[in-house]
Protein backbone atom coordinates (compact mmCIF):
# COMPACT_ATOMS: atom_id res chain seq x y z
CA UNK A 1 0.00 0.00 0.00
CA UNK A 2 2.75 2.42 0.93
CA UNK A 3 4.65 1.42 -2.21
CA UNK A 4 1.59 2.33 -4.34
CA UNK A 5 1.36 5.78 -2.78
CA UNK A 6 5.05 6.32 -3.37
CA UNK A 7 4.78 5.33 -7.07
CA UNK A 8 1.89 7.73 -7.60
CA UNK A 9 3.91 10.48 -5.95
CA UNK A 10 6.92 9.73 -8.17
CA UNK A 11 4.77 9.73 -11.30
CA UNK A 12 3.25 13.10 -10.40
CA UNK A 13 6.61 14.64 -9.63
CA UNK A 14 8.02 13.22 -12.88
CA UNK A 15 5.20 14.80 -14.91
CA UNK A 16 5.85 18.10 -13.13
CA UNK A 17 9.54 17.92 -13.92
CA UNK A 18 8.84 16.83 -17.44
CA UNK A 19 6.58 19.81 -18.13
CA UNK A 20 9.13 22.20 -16.73
CA UNK A 21 12.11 20.62 -18.44
CA UNK A 22 10.45 20.08 -21.85
CA UNK A 23 7.88 22.83 -22.46
CA UNK A 24 8.36 22.62 -26.25
CA UNK A 25 6.96 19.10 -26.22
CA UNK A 26 3.80 20.24 -24.50
CA UNK A 27 3.43 23.12 -26.93
CA UNK A 28 3.91 20.82 -29.93
CA UNK A 29 1.37 18.39 -28.53
CA UNK A 30 -1.19 21.16 -28.10
CA UNK A 31 -0.49 22.39 -31.66
CA UNK A 32 -0.88 18.89 -33.12
CA UNK A 33 -4.11 18.39 -31.21
CA UNK A 34 -5.44 21.72 -32.47
CA UNK A 35 -4.49 20.83 -36.06
CA UNK A 36 -6.08 17.42 -35.71
CA UNK A 37 -9.25 19.01 -34.35
CA UNK A 38 -9.46 21.48 -37.26
CA UNK A 39 -8.63 18.80 -39.84
CA UNK A 40 -11.13 16.38 -38.32
CA UNK A 41 -13.88 19.00 -38.24
CA UNK A 42 -13.36 19.89 -41.90
CA UNK A 43 -13.35 16.22 -42.87
CA UNK A 44 -16.49 15.52 -40.82
CA UNK A 45 -18.29 18.40 -42.54
CA UNK A 46 -17.30 17.08 -45.96
CA UNK A 47 -18.39 13.55 -45.13
CA UNK A 48 -21.72 14.76 -43.76
CA UNK A 49 -22.31 16.84 -46.89
CA UNK A 50 -21.49 13.92 -49.18
CA UNK A 51 -23.57 11.52 -47.13
CA UNK A 52 -26.56 13.82 -47.35
CA UNK A 53 -26.01 14.26 -51.06
CA UNK A 54 -25.85 10.61 -51.85
CA UNK A 55 -29.03 9.61 -50.13
CA UNK A 56 -32.37 10.63 -51.37
CA UNK A 57 -34.80 12.41 -49.13
CA UNK A 58 -37.60 9.85 -49.28
CA UNK A 59 -40.14 11.79 -47.19
CA UNK A 60 -40.10 14.57 -49.79
CA UNK A 61 -40.95 12.07 -52.50
CA UNK A 62 -43.88 10.65 -50.63
CA UNK A 63 -45.42 14.08 -50.35
CA UNK A 64 -45.54 14.49 -54.12
CA UNK A 65 -48.65 13.68 -56.17
CA UNK A 66 -48.63 10.69 -58.47
CA UNK A 67 -48.06 12.68 -61.60
CA UNK A 68 -46.11 15.84 -61.76
CA UNK A 69 -44.75 18.02 -64.48
CA UNK A 70 -43.39 21.49 -64.21
CA UNK A 71 -45.32 24.49 -65.27
CA UNK A 72 -42.30 25.28 -67.40
CA UNK A 73 -42.33 28.83 -66.28
CA UNK A 74 -38.90 29.28 -67.83
CA UNK A 75 -40.23 29.02 -71.34
CA UNK A 76 -41.19 32.34 -72.88
CA UNK A 77 -44.93 32.99 -72.55
CA UNK A 78 -46.43 31.67 -75.72
CA UNK A 79 -48.75 34.57 -76.31
CA UNK A 80 -46.26 37.21 -75.26
CA UNK A 81 -46.55 40.51 -77.13
CA UNK A 82 -43.19 39.88 -78.79
CA UNK A 83 -44.30 36.49 -80.05
CA UNK A 84 -47.63 37.83 -81.25
CA UNK A 85 -45.87 40.67 -83.04
CA UNK A 86 -43.52 38.21 -84.70
CA UNK A 87 -46.41 36.11 -85.97
CA UNK A 88 -48.22 39.21 -87.17
CA UNK A 89 -45.11 40.40 -88.96
CA UNK A 90 -44.73 37.02 -90.65
CA UNK A 91 -48.33 37.16 -91.77
CA UNK A 92 -47.91 40.63 -93.23
CA UNK A 93 -44.91 39.84 -95.32
CA UNK A 94 -46.10 36.36 -96.24
CA UNK A 95 -44.28 33.50 -94.56
CA UNK A 96 -41.58 32.03 -96.75
CA UNK A 97 -40.09 28.55 -96.51
CA UNK A 98 -37.15 29.89 -94.55
CA UNK A 99 -39.54 31.59 -92.10
CA UNK A 100 -41.19 28.23 -91.51
CA UNK A 101 -37.80 26.67 -90.84
CA UNK A 102 -37.14 29.36 -88.26
CA UNK A 103 -40.50 28.84 -86.55
CA UNK A 104 -39.83 28.08 -82.88
CA UNK A 105 -43.54 27.84 -82.06
CA UNK A 106 -43.28 30.68 -79.57
CA UNK A 107 -47.03 31.28 -79.93
CA UNK A 108 -47.92 27.62 -79.42
CA UNK A 109 -49.08 25.36 -76.62
CA UNK A 110 -48.35 21.63 -76.69
CA UNK A 111 -50.41 19.22 -74.59
CA UNK A 112 -49.57 15.55 -74.31
CA UNK A 113 -48.00 12.57 -72.61
CA UNK A 114 -44.43 11.28 -72.39
CA UNK A 115 -43.99 11.34 -76.16
CA UNK A 116 -44.67 15.07 -76.21
CA UNK A 117 -42.23 15.39 -73.29
CA UNK A 118 -39.58 14.07 -75.67
CA UNK A 119 -40.51 16.78 -78.14
CA UNK A 120 -40.14 19.34 -75.36
CA UNK A 121 -36.58 18.19 -74.65
CA UNK A 122 -35.24 17.51 -78.10
CA UNK A 123 -37.00 19.78 -80.59
CA UNK A 124 -35.55 23.06 -79.31
CA UNK A 125 -38.92 24.82 -79.45
CA UNK A 126 -39.87 27.90 -77.48
CA UNK A 127 -43.45 26.75 -77.04
CA UNK A 128 -45.31 26.20 -73.80
CA UNK A 129 -45.59 22.51 -72.91
CA UNK A 130 -48.16 20.94 -70.61
CA UNK A 131 -47.10 17.32 -70.47
CA UNK A 132 -46.90 14.41 -68.05
CA UNK A 133 -45.87 10.81 -68.26
CA UNK A 134 -48.86 8.51 -68.51
CA UNK A 135 -51.32 11.36 -69.13
CA UNK A 136 -54.69 10.23 -70.47
CA UNK A 137 -57.87 11.88 -71.74
CA UNK A 138 -59.72 10.99 -68.52
CA UNK A 139 -57.00 12.07 -66.08
CA UNK A 140 -56.21 15.37 -67.76
CA UNK A 141 -58.86 17.07 -65.60
CA UNK A 142 -58.24 15.08 -62.43
CA UNK A 143 -54.53 14.47 -61.89
CA UNK A 144 -52.42 17.35 -60.62
CA UNK A 145 -49.62 17.35 -63.17
CA UNK A 146 -48.46 20.95 -63.34
CA UNK A 147 -46.64 22.91 -60.66
CA UNK A 148 -47.40 26.60 -60.85
CA UNK A 149 -44.92 29.38 -60.11
CA UNK A 150 -46.27 29.64 -56.55
CA UNK A 151 -45.81 25.89 -55.99
CA UNK A 152 -49.44 24.84 -56.36
CA UNK A 153 -50.31 21.61 -58.14
CA UNK A 154 -52.97 21.90 -60.79
CA UNK A 155 -54.28 19.71 -63.58
CA UNK A 156 -53.43 20.21 -67.24
CA UNK A 157 -57.12 20.98 -67.72
CA UNK A 158 -56.75 23.93 -65.35
CA UNK A 159 -53.35 25.03 -66.65
CA UNK A 160 -54.43 25.16 -70.30
CA UNK A 161 -56.67 28.13 -69.54
CA UNK A 162 -53.73 30.25 -68.37
CA UNK A 163 -52.41 32.42 -71.17
CA UNK A 164 -53.71 32.66 -74.71
CA UNK A 165 -52.04 30.97 -77.65
CA UNK A 166 -52.32 31.15 -81.42
CA UNK A 167 -51.80 27.42 -81.93
CA UNK A 168 -52.52 24.46 -79.67
CA UNK A 169 -51.20 20.97 -80.49
CA UNK A 170 -52.62 17.95 -78.70
CA UNK A 171 -51.44 14.36 -78.77
CA UNK A 172 -53.09 11.84 -76.48
CA UNK A 173 -54.14 8.24 -76.84
CA UNK A 174 -51.16 5.92 -76.61
CA UNK A 175 -51.75 5.30 -72.89
CA UNK A 176 -55.42 4.56 -73.56
CA UNK A 177 -54.78 1.77 -76.07
CA UNK A 178 -55.56 -0.82 -73.40
CA UNK A 179 -59.05 0.49 -72.75
CA UNK A 180 -61.80 -2.01 -73.41
CA UNK A 181 -64.17 0.53 -74.94
CA UNK A 182 -62.71 2.93 -77.50
CA UNK A 183 -66.06 4.78 -77.48
CA UNK A 184 -65.24 5.88 -73.98
CA UNK A 185 -61.84 7.13 -75.14
CA UNK A 186 -63.46 9.25 -77.85
CA UNK A 187 -66.11 10.54 -75.43
CA UNK A 188 -63.44 11.74 -73.01
CA UNK A 189 -61.33 13.16 -75.86
CA UNK A 190 -64.37 15.07 -77.19
CA UNK A 191 -65.03 16.56 -73.75
CA UNK A 192 -61.41 17.64 -73.53
CA UNK A 193 -61.41 19.25 -76.99
CA UNK A 194 -64.59 21.19 -76.16
CA UNK A 195 -63.03 22.48 -72.94
CA UNK A 196 -59.88 23.39 -74.83
CA UNK A 197 -61.87 25.37 -77.40
CA UNK A 198 -63.45 27.34 -74.60
CA UNK A 199 -60.13 27.93 -72.88
CA UNK A 200 -58.38 28.97 -76.10
CA UNK A 201 -61.09 30.61 -78.22
CA UNK A 202 -58.74 32.32 -80.66
CA UNK A 203 -56.32 29.44 -81.16
CA UNK A 204 -56.15 27.01 -84.04
CA UNK A 205 -56.40 23.61 -82.39
CA UNK A 206 -54.49 20.73 -83.96
CA UNK A 207 -55.33 17.23 -82.79
CA UNK A 208 -52.44 15.01 -83.79
CA UNK A 209 -52.63 11.35 -84.67
CA UNK A 210 -51.13 8.80 -82.31
CA UNK A 211 -47.62 7.90 -83.49
CA UNK A 212 -47.02 4.25 -84.43
CA UNK A 213 -44.89 1.83 -82.41
CA UNK A 214 -42.21 -0.43 -83.82
CA UNK A 215 -43.16 -3.66 -85.51
CA UNK A 216 -41.45 -5.65 -82.73
CA UNK A 217 -43.41 -3.79 -80.08
CA UNK A 218 -46.63 -4.19 -82.00
CA UNK A 219 -46.10 -7.93 -82.38
CA UNK A 220 -45.06 -8.52 -78.78
CA UNK A 221 -47.79 -6.52 -77.08
CA UNK A 222 -51.52 -7.00 -76.76
CA UNK A 223 -51.98 -3.32 -76.01
CA UNK A 224 -49.50 -1.34 -78.07
CA UNK A 225 -50.37 -2.59 -81.53
CA UNK A 226 -50.31 -0.57 -84.73
CA UNK A 227 -53.72 -1.97 -85.66
CA UNK A 228 -55.22 -0.46 -82.53
CA UNK A 229 -53.38 2.78 -83.17
CA UNK A 230 -54.79 2.95 -86.71
CA UNK A 231 -58.28 2.29 -85.33
CA UNK A 232 -57.92 4.99 -82.67
CA UNK A 233 -56.55 7.43 -85.25
CA UNK A 234 -59.52 6.89 -87.54
CA UNK A 235 -61.82 7.72 -84.65
CA UNK A 236 -59.76 10.75 -83.62
CA UNK A 237 -59.97 12.06 -87.19
CA UNK A 238 -63.77 11.74 -87.15
CA UNK A 239 -63.96 13.45 -83.77
CA UNK A 240 -61.78 16.32 -85.00
CA UNK A 241 -64.06 16.84 -88.00
CA UNK A 242 -67.15 16.80 -85.78
CA UNK A 243 -65.66 19.30 -83.35
CA UNK A 244 -64.31 21.62 -86.04
CA UNK A 245 -60.63 21.32 -85.13
CA UNK A 246 -57.68 20.41 -87.35
CA UNK A 247 -56.52 16.81 -87.58
CA UNK A 248 -52.81 16.30 -88.25
CA UNK A 249 -51.56 12.91 -89.36
CA UNK A 250 -48.09 13.33 -87.83
CA UNK A 251 -47.68 9.56 -87.83
CA UNK A 252 -46.69 9.79 -91.50
CA UNK A 253 -43.64 11.87 -90.52
CA UNK A 254 -42.09 9.05 -88.52
CA UNK A 255 -43.61 5.94 -90.13
CA UNK A 256 -41.34 3.51 -92.00
CA UNK A 257 -42.13 1.73 -95.26
CA UNK A 258 -43.95 -1.02 -93.32
CA UNK A 259 -46.15 1.50 -91.54
CA UNK A 260 -44.42 0.97 -88.20
CA UNK A 261 -42.01 3.14 -86.29
CA UNK A 262 -38.47 2.22 -87.42
CA UNK A 263 -36.28 0.48 -84.85
CA UNK A 264 -33.67 3.20 -85.25
CA UNK A 265 -36.16 5.75 -83.89
CA UNK A 266 -36.50 4.35 -80.41
CA UNK A 267 -35.10 2.15 -77.67
CA UNK A 268 -38.38 0.84 -76.24
CA UNK A 269 -40.48 0.82 -79.39
CA UNK A 270 -42.61 3.75 -78.23
CA UNK A 271 -40.61 6.85 -77.27
CA UNK A 272 -38.81 8.76 -80.01
CA UNK A 273 -35.17 9.74 -79.96
CA UNK A 274 -33.95 13.20 -80.86
CA UNK A 275 -33.64 12.58 -84.60
CA UNK A 276 -37.25 11.44 -84.85
CA UNK A 277 -38.51 14.22 -82.60
CA UNK A 278 -36.97 16.55 -85.15
CA UNK A 279 -38.77 14.76 -88.01
CA UNK A 280 -41.98 15.30 -86.07
CA UNK A 281 -41.18 19.00 -85.62
CA UNK A 282 -40.27 19.41 -89.28
CA UNK A 283 -43.65 17.98 -90.20
CA UNK A 284 -45.42 20.44 -87.89
CA UNK A 285 -43.47 23.32 -89.42
CA UNK A 286 -44.26 22.16 -92.92
CA UNK A 287 -47.98 21.80 -92.25
CA UNK A 288 -48.77 24.51 -89.72
CA UNK A 289 -46.15 27.27 -89.72
CA UNK A 290 -47.42 30.61 -90.97
CA UNK B 1 11.85 3.30 -23.53
CA UNK B 2 9.36 5.96 -22.49
CA UNK B 3 10.89 8.41 -24.99
CA UNK B 4 10.59 5.90 -27.82
CA UNK B 5 6.97 5.32 -26.88
CA UNK B 6 6.23 9.06 -26.92
CA UNK B 7 8.05 9.51 -30.21
CA UNK B 8 5.89 6.72 -31.64
CA UNK B 9 2.72 8.45 -30.50
CA UNK B 10 3.77 11.79 -32.02
CA UNK B 11 4.74 10.12 -35.23
CA UNK B 12 1.36 8.38 -35.40
CA UNK B 13 -0.45 11.64 -34.77
CA UNK B 14 1.56 13.40 -37.45
CA UNK B 15 0.76 10.66 -39.97
CA UNK B 16 -2.94 10.91 -39.12
CA UNK B 17 -2.87 14.68 -39.57
CA UNK B 18 -1.16 14.36 -42.94
CA UNK B 19 -3.73 11.81 -44.06
CA UNK B 20 -6.62 14.09 -43.13
CA UNK B 21 -5.11 17.06 -44.98
CA UNK B 22 -4.34 15.01 -48.10
CA UNK B 23 -7.95 13.74 -48.20
CA UNK B 24 -9.32 17.28 -48.11
CA UNK B 25 -7.19 18.59 -50.94
CA UNK B 26 -7.78 15.54 -53.12
CA UNK B 27 -11.51 16.25 -53.16
CA UNK B 28 -11.63 20.02 -52.96
CA UNK B 29 -8.66 20.77 -55.19
CA UNK B 30 -9.57 18.98 -58.41
CA UNK B 31 -12.08 20.56 -60.72
CA UNK B 32 -13.68 18.76 -63.63
CA UNK B 33 -15.12 20.04 -66.87
CA UNK B 34 -18.87 19.20 -66.77
CA UNK B 35 -19.01 18.41 -70.49
CA UNK B 36 -16.08 15.99 -70.30
CA UNK B 37 -17.29 14.51 -67.02
CA UNK B 38 -20.82 13.85 -68.30
CA UNK B 39 -19.45 12.44 -71.56
CA UNK B 40 -17.09 10.16 -69.63
CA UNK B 41 -19.92 8.86 -67.44
CA UNK B 42 -22.06 8.30 -70.51
CA UNK B 43 -19.28 6.35 -72.20
CA UNK B 44 -18.04 4.41 -69.18
CA UNK B 45 -21.41 3.11 -67.99
CA UNK B 46 -23.79 0.81 -69.82
CA UNK B 47 -27.15 2.42 -70.41
CA UNK B 48 -30.46 0.81 -71.26
CA UNK B 49 -31.75 3.88 -73.09
CA UNK B 50 -30.24 6.27 -75.63
CA UNK B 51 -28.95 9.30 -73.80
CA UNK B 52 -28.95 12.60 -75.65
CA UNK B 53 -27.27 15.82 -74.63
CA UNK B 54 -29.72 18.61 -73.82
CA UNK B 55 -29.27 22.23 -74.77
CA UNK B 56 -29.36 24.89 -72.07
CA UNK B 57 -33.02 25.70 -72.76
CA UNK B 58 -34.06 22.09 -72.18
CA UNK B 59 -31.93 21.87 -69.02
CA UNK B 60 -33.77 24.91 -67.67
CA UNK B 61 -37.06 23.08 -68.25
CA UNK B 62 -35.96 20.08 -66.20
CA UNK B 63 -33.83 21.62 -63.47
CA UNK B 64 -35.26 24.44 -61.45
CA UNK B 65 -31.95 26.16 -60.79
CA UNK B 66 -30.81 29.75 -61.05
CA UNK B 67 -28.61 30.38 -64.06
CA UNK B 68 -26.38 32.70 -62.03
CA UNK B 69 -25.54 29.73 -59.77
CA UNK B 70 -24.07 27.76 -62.68
CA UNK B 71 -20.81 28.50 -64.46
CA UNK B 72 -20.96 25.39 -66.68
CA UNK B 73 -23.35 22.45 -67.11
CA UNK B 74 -23.99 19.33 -69.14
CA UNK B 75 -27.02 17.02 -69.01
CA UNK B 76 -27.73 13.81 -70.90
CA UNK B 77 -31.35 12.64 -70.74
CA UNK B 78 -33.18 9.54 -71.93
CA UNK B 79 -35.91 9.29 -74.55
CA UNK B 80 -38.56 8.99 -71.85
CA UNK B 81 -38.52 5.20 -71.91
CA UNK B 82 -36.34 5.12 -68.77
CA UNK B 83 -35.37 7.42 -65.93
CA UNK B 84 -31.68 7.29 -66.85
CA UNK B 85 -29.94 10.63 -66.71
CA UNK B 86 -26.53 12.21 -66.16
CA UNK B 87 -26.20 15.80 -65.02
CA UNK B 88 -23.01 17.65 -64.09
CA UNK B 89 -23.04 21.26 -62.93
CA UNK B 90 -20.19 23.54 -61.90
CA UNK B 91 -21.49 25.92 -59.27
CA UNK B 92 -20.20 29.44 -58.81
CA UNK B 93 -19.62 28.86 -55.07
CA UNK B 94 -20.51 26.56 -52.17
CA UNK B 95 -23.91 28.12 -51.54
CA UNK B 96 -24.77 27.90 -55.23
CA UNK B 97 -23.74 24.23 -55.14
CA UNK B 98 -26.19 23.67 -52.30
CA UNK B 99 -29.01 25.30 -54.29
CA UNK B 100 -28.17 23.24 -57.39
CA UNK B 101 -28.17 20.13 -55.22
CA UNK B 102 -31.69 20.96 -54.10
CA UNK B 103 -32.71 21.49 -57.73
CA UNK B 104 -31.30 18.07 -58.61
CA UNK B 105 -33.16 16.48 -55.70
CA UNK B 106 -36.36 18.07 -56.98
CA UNK B 107 -35.65 16.64 -60.42
CA UNK B 108 -35.34 13.14 -58.94
CA UNK B 109 -38.59 13.64 -57.05
CA UNK B 110 -40.28 14.69 -60.27
CA UNK B 111 -38.96 11.63 -62.09
CA UNK B 112 -40.22 9.39 -59.30
CA UNK B 113 -43.65 10.94 -59.54
CA UNK B 114 -43.66 10.45 -63.28
CA UNK B 115 -42.45 6.87 -63.33
CA UNK B 116 -44.07 5.31 -60.28
CA UNK B 117 -47.38 4.64 -62.03
CA UNK B 118 -46.00 4.67 -65.56
CA UNK B 119 -42.95 2.39 -65.66
CA UNK B 120 -42.68 1.17 -62.03
CA UNK B 121 -39.55 -0.88 -62.68
CA UNK B 122 -37.66 2.40 -63.17
CA UNK B 123 -38.22 3.15 -59.48
CA UNK B 124 -35.30 0.85 -58.72
CA UNK B 125 -32.96 3.35 -60.42
CA UNK B 126 -34.70 6.24 -58.71
CA UNK B 127 -34.71 4.74 -55.21
CA UNK B 128 -31.27 6.02 -54.31
CA UNK B 129 -29.53 7.56 -57.31
CA UNK B 130 -26.01 8.95 -57.01
CA UNK B 131 -26.26 12.63 -56.20
CA UNK B 132 -23.10 14.18 -54.84
CA UNK B 133 -21.16 17.38 -54.43
CA UNK B 134 -17.41 17.40 -54.98
CA UNK B 135 -15.97 20.84 -54.40
CA UNK B 136 -18.18 23.07 -56.53
CA UNK B 137 -19.29 20.27 -58.83
CA UNK B 138 -22.76 18.75 -58.44
CA UNK B 139 -23.30 15.38 -60.11
CA UNK B 140 -26.51 13.41 -60.58
CA UNK B 141 -26.27 9.96 -62.13
CA UNK B 142 -29.43 7.88 -62.45
CA UNK B 143 -28.29 4.41 -63.42
CA UNK B 144 -29.12 0.82 -62.53
CA UNK B 145 -25.72 0.25 -60.87
CA UNK B 146 -25.04 2.96 -58.29
CA UNK B 147 -21.80 1.44 -57.03
CA UNK B 148 -20.33 1.40 -60.51
CA UNK B 149 -21.56 4.95 -61.13
CA UNK B 150 -19.92 6.12 -57.92
CA UNK B 151 -16.66 4.45 -58.89
CA UNK B 152 -16.67 6.30 -62.20
CA UNK B 153 -17.40 9.58 -60.44
CA UNK B 154 -14.54 8.96 -58.01
CA UNK B 155 -12.28 8.28 -60.97
CA UNK B 156 -13.14 11.69 -62.43
CA UNK B 157 -11.67 13.40 -59.38
CA UNK B 158 -8.47 11.38 -59.07
Amino acid sequence: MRMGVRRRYERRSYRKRYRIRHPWRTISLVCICALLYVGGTVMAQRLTKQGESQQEKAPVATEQPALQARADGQTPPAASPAATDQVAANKNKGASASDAQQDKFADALFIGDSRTEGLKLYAGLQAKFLTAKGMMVNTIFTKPAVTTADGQKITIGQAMAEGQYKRVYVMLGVNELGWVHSDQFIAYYTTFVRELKQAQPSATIYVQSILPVTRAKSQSSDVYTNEKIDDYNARIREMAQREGVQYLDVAQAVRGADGALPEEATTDGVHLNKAYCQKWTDFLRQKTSR
Amino acid sequence: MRRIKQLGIWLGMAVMLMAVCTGCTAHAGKEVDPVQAAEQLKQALEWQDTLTRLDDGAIALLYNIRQEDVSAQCVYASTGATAEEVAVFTATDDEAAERILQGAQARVTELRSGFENYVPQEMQKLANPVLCVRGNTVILCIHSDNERALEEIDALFQ
Side-chain angles (χ1 to χ4, degrees):
Chain A
M1 186 67 182
R2 285 183 68 184
M3 279 296 282
V5 172
R6 185 179 173 77
R7 271 186 197 154
R8 276 204 298 275
Y9 169 76
E10 280 175 355
R11 223 176 284 147
R12 271 204 301 273
S13 66
Y14 172 79
R15 281 193 206 124
K16 203 172 176 184
R17 282 204 308 275
Y18 181 78
R19 272 205 302 274
I20 293 163
R21 285 167 61 188
H22 306 289
W24 61 272
R25 285 187 182 169
T26 311
I27 291 164
S28 340
L29 197 66
V30 168
C31 288
I32 287 173
C33 286
L35 278 171
L36 270 175
Y37 174 77
V38 171
T41 309
V42 170
M43 196 62 184
Q45 278 175 350
R46 291 184 61 81
L47 285 173
T48 310
K49 200 173 178 183
Q50 279 182 20
E52 280 172 0
S53 310
Q54 284 170 16
Q55 70 177 10
E56 274 306 307
K57 290 177 181 168
V60 178
T62 55
E63 286 165 12
Q64 301 300 316
L67 282 167
Q68 179 192 1
R70 274 239 302 290
D72 304 335
Q74 301 94 329
T75 51
S80 64
T84 312
D85 290 345
Q86 183 63 46
V87 172
N90 283 349
K91 261 186 169 178
N92 289 340
K93 69 182 177 188
S96 64
S98 62
D99 287 334
Q101 282 171 2
Q102 296 302 315
D103 186 3
K104 293 280 184 186
F105 295 81
D107 62 345
L109 168 65
F110 283 80
I111 296 173
D113 49 39
S114 56
R115 285 171 143 183
T116 308
E117 275 192 347
L119 196 73
K120 176 174 83 173
L121 294 185
Y122 299 127
L125 304 181
Q126 291 170 357
K128 174 84 173 177
F129 282 86
L130 294 174
T131 60
K133 288 180 176 61
M135 186 48 66
M136 294 189 280
V137 287
N138 63 330
T139 54
I140 209 155
F141 291 110
T142 57
K143 281 207 167 179
V146 179
T147 306
T148 59
D150 58 358
Q152 274 193 322
K153 304 280 188 315
I154 59 173
T155 64
I156 287 180
Q158 290 170 312
M160 71 189 188
E162 292 175 4
Q164 291 296 302
Y165 303 88
K166 295 278 181 190
R167 296 175 281 177
V168 180
Y169 298 85
V170 183
M171 183 187 287
L172 292 163
V174 74
N175 296 310
E176 295 88 327
L177 291 172
W179 288 17
V180 177
H181 303 291
S182 55
D183 287 347
Q184 214 167 23
F185 163 69
I186 288 299
Y188 275 116
Y189 212 155
T190 304
T191 305
F192 168 69
V193 167
R194 286 176 185 169
E195 292 281 336
L196 181 58
K197 281 160 68 179
Q198 281 188 1
Q200 298 293 329
S202 56
T204 305
I205 295 171
Y206 297 99
V207 176
Q208 302 168 90
S209 60
I210 305 169
L211 303 175
V213 296
T214 58
R215 177 187 280 211
K217 181 76 180 176
S218 185
Q219 287 173 346
S220 65
S221 173
D222 292 333
V223 174
Y224 298 98
T225 69
N226 283 326
E227 291 71 31
K228 269 193 181 178
I229 289 172
D230 289 344
D231 176 50
Y232 269 49
N233 281 341
R235 306 204 60 179
I236 292 170
R237 180 194 288 267
E238 287 169 11
M239 182 272 291
Q241 277 177 348
R242 267 199 318 272
E243 297 303 315
V245 296
Q246 304 292 313
Y247 175 80
L248 276 178
D249 183 17
V250 288
Q252 64 181 276
V254 298
R255 194 180 279 141
D258 60 354
L261 188 66
E263 292 291 339
E264 62 172 21
T266 174
T267 50
D268 66 345
V270 179
H271 297 90
L272 306 189
N273 59 23
K274 185 176 181 176
Y276 275 76
C277 282
Q278 284 172 346
K279 281 177 189 273
W280 178 1
T281 314
D282 288 344
F283 179 87
L284 295 180
R285 284 201 178 100
Q286 191 189 332
K287 298 291 180 187
T288 68
S289 288
R290 302 171 231 202
Chain B
M1 186 63 187
R2 196 189 297 271
R3 291 184 69 136
I4 293 169
K5 210 171 165 183
Q6 282 172 350
L7 200 67
I9 291 169
W10 290 339
L11 210 64
M13 285 165 110
V15 168
M16 276 172 65
L17 183 69
M18 279 175 70
V20 167
C21 291
T22 310
C24 290
T25 47
H27 278 303
K30 176 138 187 196
E31 282 188 8
V32 297
D33 172 29
V35 177
Q36 285 178 0
E39 177 66 24
Q40 196 167 323
L41 289 172
K42 183 184 167 239
Q43 297 298 334
L45 298 167
E46 264 186 40
W47 302 92
Q48 187 186 334
D49 204 349
T50 304
L51 297 191
T52 306
R53 188 176 167 184
L54 301 183
D55 60 29
D56 288 348
I59 295 172
L61 294 175
L62 298 186
Y63 288 84
N64 191 15
I65 53 180
R66 292 192 227 161
Q67 283 313 296
E68 60 267 28
D69 283 346
V70 181
S71 60
Q73 60 185 357
C74 186
V75 176
Y76 281 90
S78 79
T79 62
T82 71
E84 291 173 344
E85 198 158 302
V86 175
V88 184
F89 300 94
T90 304
T92 48
D93 57 40
D94 283 354
E95 287 180 2
E98 190 56 42
R99 286 191 291 272
I100 293 169
L101 182 69
Q102 286 168 8
Q105 282 169 341
R107 169 68 180 149
V108 174
T109 303
E110 190 177 304
L111 282 167
R112 282 180 183 157
S113 302
F115 277 102
E116 68 180 346
N117 294 322
Y118 183 57
V119 188
Q121 54 267 39
E122 287 303 300
M123 294 304 281
Q124 179 261 327
K125 292 173 192 164
L126 290 163
N128 191 23
V130 176
L131 175 55
C132 56
V133 181
R134 302 283 170 93
N136 281 346
T137 305
V138 181
I139 301 179
L140 171 64
C141 186
I142 304 172
H143 187 263
S144 55
D145 188 346
N146 283 338
E147 273 185 33
R148 179 96 175 78
L150 205 52
E151 278 173 23
E152 290 300 331
I153 290 169
D154 286 339
L156 292 172
F157 289 87
Q158 279 168 4

